Amino acid sequence: MSTTKQQQQPLGPSSWTTRRDEKHSRMQKVESLLKGKVLPTEQIVNALELLIRPGDRVVLEGNNQKQASFLSAALVQVDPEKVNQLHMIMSSISRPDHLDIFEKKIASKLDFSYSGSQSLRMSQMIEDNSIEIGSIHTYLELYGRLFIDLIPNVVLVAADKADRQGNLYTGANTEETPTIIEAAAFRNGIVIVQVNELVDEVPRIDIPGAWVDLVVESDRPYQLEALFTRDPRQIKETHILMGMMAIKGIYAKHNVQSLNHGIGFNTAAIELLLPTYGESLGLRGKICKHWALNPHPTLIPAIESGWIESIHSFGGEVGMEKYTAARPDVFFTGPDGSMRSNRALCQVAGQYAVDMFIGSTLQIDPEGNSSTVTSGRLSGFGGAPNMGHDPHGRRHDTEAWLNMMNGDGPLVRGKKLVVQMVETFQNGERPTFVDSLDAIHVGQEAHLPIAPVMIYGEDVTHVVTEEGIAYLYKAQNIEERKLALAAVAGVTPLGQAHDASLNERLISDGLIAFPEQLDIRRTDARRSLLAAKSVEELVEWSSGLYNPPSKFRSW
């Protein structure tokens, strides 16, 4: 017996345009305030109250460097009676007003990646039950969820310039702006952009105006930090020794062609050792050709001396604008000359396209698990878990990747090099090597379903300390991993419990190497090896193109 079409009950919703209709309804409320897509600066708080509804998912741009600071300050000023119970999505919690919105009951739930300078306050607010944490994400994980189950209703982002049609110029600090906007623009979310300047014509169109609903000229330029600049004056001989070991015992040993460096004086030392120590080893043209990295000023000597072929960046760096514009063969730049960054795409490159990630951490346990989340600090970890793990989806081979094979058989695969480079003690004489990560307790206190581990030990291939290198990828079992780690843990409790009589076997098996096995004399680790010993010398290397922020100037 057949059923006619008229007799069938509709299975879908009565309307397929509810999100579009909802957006249209909201935008009508601010229509009288706008001139085209431009909102007067003084109307921003009023506009936010009209456009944002209780319970909305709101993305507020606040990454490592670029902050939508005008919009975050405005969001704090909305009436909590009108705007409340917001579910905030932010990659980086970097400003006090990012947390003020929770204390004022404007927002209640947070999904984020990194909290950095606000980590102490974040931990206290969780303890006080004034903020609910959804999850602590890696950057790519958070961006991905914007297109799946955290689709935003409203996004608040920042750009350098806009024309009156809403076309955006984001310049060197494009960062995560395109990803955030796309997640909203194509699911009928509302896109609000603060700009430093309204112009008749933008230098280049980084984001088309059709994706943008409202632009507002901010009362001051968006907050921008020189987060990745390290003053060579602060590089110690310990950093230099570790850098020498890394270059000879890892970079050269495994023929690392492409890589990402974390932030820190250890990796800054490596960058400044390439044109000197690396050159003395005859390694130019053999290692460190391709980078996924912000334009660190400490890269300038290596670039100028011909070591580096390409750099794709997560974001820009204050003071490096003229230098990157003058080196288009190295950096990704637009026709206008300014660098183009993209945090999401660079994270993908750092996860899948590089041979090696080398970074640092605050704690490592005996199995090699690590985290930057410590007692009283819920800092998160940003992109390190993306780049600091072995992506099993990788299929392209490189010599370095194949060099990590540790076994026989037709299905043995290569592995990404994941290097942790740490001093055995942190500032304040806190040991880096601990019996158990603080992250376990912090996760329990914050009611997180899993401990906020940054990089799992199973992914770590090497650990470098001032004592030596542990080649963890060579370990045949967990006990060998523990022995190799303990051998380079110095006078930490883990290191002191180690039986030093086992070191000869560990060296013979290739599980550890001290400077002596690498033909490195500790007394050779001197600041005189650095290609530049001050920010002033970096400026000289750049032929005056690098313009460091005033806090780094001492001349």
Side-chain angles (χ1 to χ4, degrees):
M1 181 176 178
S2 64
T3 303
T4 65
K5 185 175 181 180
Q6 288 77 14
Q7 292 173 320
Q8 292 177 358
Q9 294 298 314
L11 300 178
S14 58
S15 171
W16 294 96
T17 60
T18 54
R19 291 181 66 90
R20 185 183 301 168
D21 297 341
E22 171 75 8
K23 177 178 179 177
H24 180 70
S25 171
R26 296 194 198 194
M27 290 301 298
Q28 279 188 318
K29 293 183 178 181
V30 296
E31 200 171 72
S32 63
L33 303 178
L34 301 177
K35 187 174 182 180
K37 293 191 175 185
V38 178
L39 176 78
T41 305
E42 67 275 8
Q43 289 289 342
I44 185 58
V45 175
N46 184 26
L48 292 179
E49 290 179 345
L50 292 170
L51 290 170
I52 302 176
R53 295 187 176 175
D56 272 352
R57 290 194 193 107
V58 177
V59 179
L60 175 59
E61 185 169 23
N63 49 53
N64 281 334
Q65 297 160 287
K66 185 176 75 168
Q67 308 290 328
S69 45
F70 172 72
L71 291 174
S72 64
L75 187 58
V76 173
Q77 298 175 53
V78 301
D79 184 352
E81 294 294 321
K82 299 177 180 177
V83 180
N84 52 67
Q85 296 299 310
L86 299 183
H87 180 173
M88 299 302 300
I89 304 166
M90 289 183 275
S91 63
S92 180
I93 312 300
S94 306
R95 292 169 50 85
D97 47 35
H98 289 170
L99 295 179
D100 290 346
I101 58 176
F102 292 91
E103 291 194 338
K104 293 192 173 185
K105 310 299 183 184
I106 296 166
S108 58
K109 187 174 182 179
L110 172 66
D111 278 278
F112 75 109
S113 294
Y114 181 68
S115 63
S117 61
Q118 300 299 314
S119 58
L120 286 172
R121 185 180 175 196
M122 173 83 80
S123 183
Q124 186 61 53
M125 289 178 68
I126 291 171
E127 187 176 327
D128 296 340
N129 292 316
S130 56
I131 188 170
E132 176 190 352
I133 300 297
S135 293
I136 307 175
H137 305 73
T138 71
Y139 286 132
L140 278 180
E141 182 182 14
L142 188 65
Y143 301 152
R145 290 189 69 190
L146 295 181
F147 296 88
I148 302 297
D149 63 329
L150 291 180
I151 298 169
N153 302 100
V154 179
V155 299
L156 308 172
V157 300
D160 281 15
K161 295 177 175 65
D163 62 23
R164 297 187 183 279
Q165 289 71 50
N167 296 306
L168 303 181
Y169 171 71
T170 50
N173 292 286
T174 296
E175 304 234 7
E176 63 192 14
T177 316
T179 306
I180 294 172
I181 289 179
E182 184 156 340
F186 294 93
R187 276 284 278 157
N188 294 294
I190 295 173
V191 177
I192 302 173
V193 186
Q194 71 167 78
V195 296
N196 294 341
E197 185 182 8
L198 282 168
V199 295
D200 292 331
E201 185 178 357
V202 292
R204 70 173 190 243
I205 297 176
D206 287 321
I207 297 170
W211 298 13
V212 175
D213 297 301
L214 184 156
V215 295
V216 56
E217 192 171 33
S218 56
D219 54 5
R220 66 192 67 182
Y222 56 71
Q223 180 184 337
L224 189 63
E225 300 293 335
L227 188 68
F228 297 94
T229 299
R230 292 293 178 267
D231 188 341
R233 284 189 176 87
Q234 305 302 316
I235 295 175
K236 303 182 298 185
E237 291 180 350
T238 300
H239 301 139
I240 295 168
L241 174 63
M242 293 169 67
M244 293 168 71
M245 286 192 287
I247 290 171
K248 192 168 186 181
I250 300 176
Y251 292 45
K253 177 181 175 67
H254 303 299
N255 194 28
V256 173
Q257 301 286 311
S258 56
L259 67 160
N260 166 265
H261 270 190
I263 312 169
F265 290 107
N266 288 320
T267 48
I270 293 173
E271 292 158 15
L272 291 170
L273 286 169
L274 290 176
T276 56
Y277 180 65
E279 193 74 31
S280 73
L281 297 175
L283 295 175
R284 180 156 54 94
K286 298 178 181 178
I287 64 170
C288 301
K289 294 180 183 180
H290 307 290
W291 300 65
L293 197 66
N294 278 56
H296 293 188
T298 42
L299 284 170
I300 292 172
I303 295 170
E304 294 299 303
S305 53
W307 277 76
I308 297 173
E309 293 184 16
S310 69
I311 300 174
H312 186 258
S313 299
F314 309 96
E317 185 70 352
V318 178
M320 286 288 283
E321 296 84 1
K322 289 183 179 179
Y323 182 78
T324 56
R327 301 292 183 268
D329 279 354
V330 173
F331 295 96
F332 285 70
T333 58
D336 67 311
S338 69
M339 191 185 78
R340 165 77 173 195
S341 61
N342 189 303
R343 185 167 296 277
L345 292 182
C346 201
Q347 288 286 338
V348 170
Q351 180 168 346
Y352 280 101
V354 302
D355 292 331
M356 181 180 77
F357 163 81
I358 180 167
S360 191
T361 188
L362 295 179
Q363 288 187 335
I364 300 177
D365 73 10
E367 295 184 6
N369 301 300
S370 67
S371 189
T372 51
V373 173
T374 57
S375 292
R377 290 182 180 272
L378 192 64
S379 59
F381 20 68
N386 290 332
M387 293 173 287
H389 87 285
D390 178 42
H392 287 195
R394 175 169 170 167
R395 292 297 182 270
H396 77 280
D397 64 282
T398 60
E399 185 175 339
W401 188 77
L402 294 172
N403 213 242
M404 292 296 100
M405 287 182 173
N406 193 23
D408 298 313
L411 296 180
V412 175
R413 59 186 294 278
K415 193 172 184 179
K416 181 181 183 178
L417 282 80
V418 176
V419 184
Q420 294 281 43
M421 194 174 188
V422 296
E423 294 179 67
T424 53
F425 283 86
Q426 303 288 330
N427 293 334
E429 297 305 307
R430 291 169 301 188
T432 301
F433 294 90
V434 295
D435 290 335
S436 178
L437 298 177
D438 286 357
I440 296 173
H441 176 70
V442 172
Q444 292 169 344
E445 289 290 305
H447 307 294
L448 299 177
I450 60 171
V453 173
M454 183 175 73
I455 297 176
Y456 290 99
E458 64 193 40
D459 286 317
V460 180
T461 58
H462 303 72
V463 172
V464 184
T465 74
E466 70 274 21
E467 299 294 327
I469 302 175
Y471 294 94
L472 300 184
Y473 74 96
K474 281 187 166 290
Q476 298 298 313
N477 51 56
I478 193 64
E479 290 308 315
E480 284 195 346
R481 288 178 65 87
K482 290 180 177 180
L483 288 174
L485 272 175
V488 299
V491 294
T492 63
L494 177 65
Q496 287 182 314
H498 175 65
D499 182 356
S501 67
L502 298 174
N503 286 351
E504 187 173 338
R505 177 176 68 82
L506 294 173
I507 292 170
S508 177
D509 291 344
L511 282 161
I512 62 171
F514 299 121
E516 294 73 24
Q517 281 74 54
L518 299 171
D519 293 322
I520 295 172
R521 293 187 299 181
R522 295 175 186 268
T523 54
D524 286 343
R526 294 285 182 263
R527 282 183 48 81
S528 58
L529 275 179
L530 298 176
K533 302 166 191 64
S534 66
V535 172
E536 184 177 10
E537 290 185 12
L538 292 176
V539 174
E540 292 173 3
W541 268 98
S542 76
S543 301
L545 292 169
Y546 173 43
N547 181 29
S550 57
K551 67 179 180 179
F552 292 106
R553 291 180 177 270
S554 58
W555 62 93

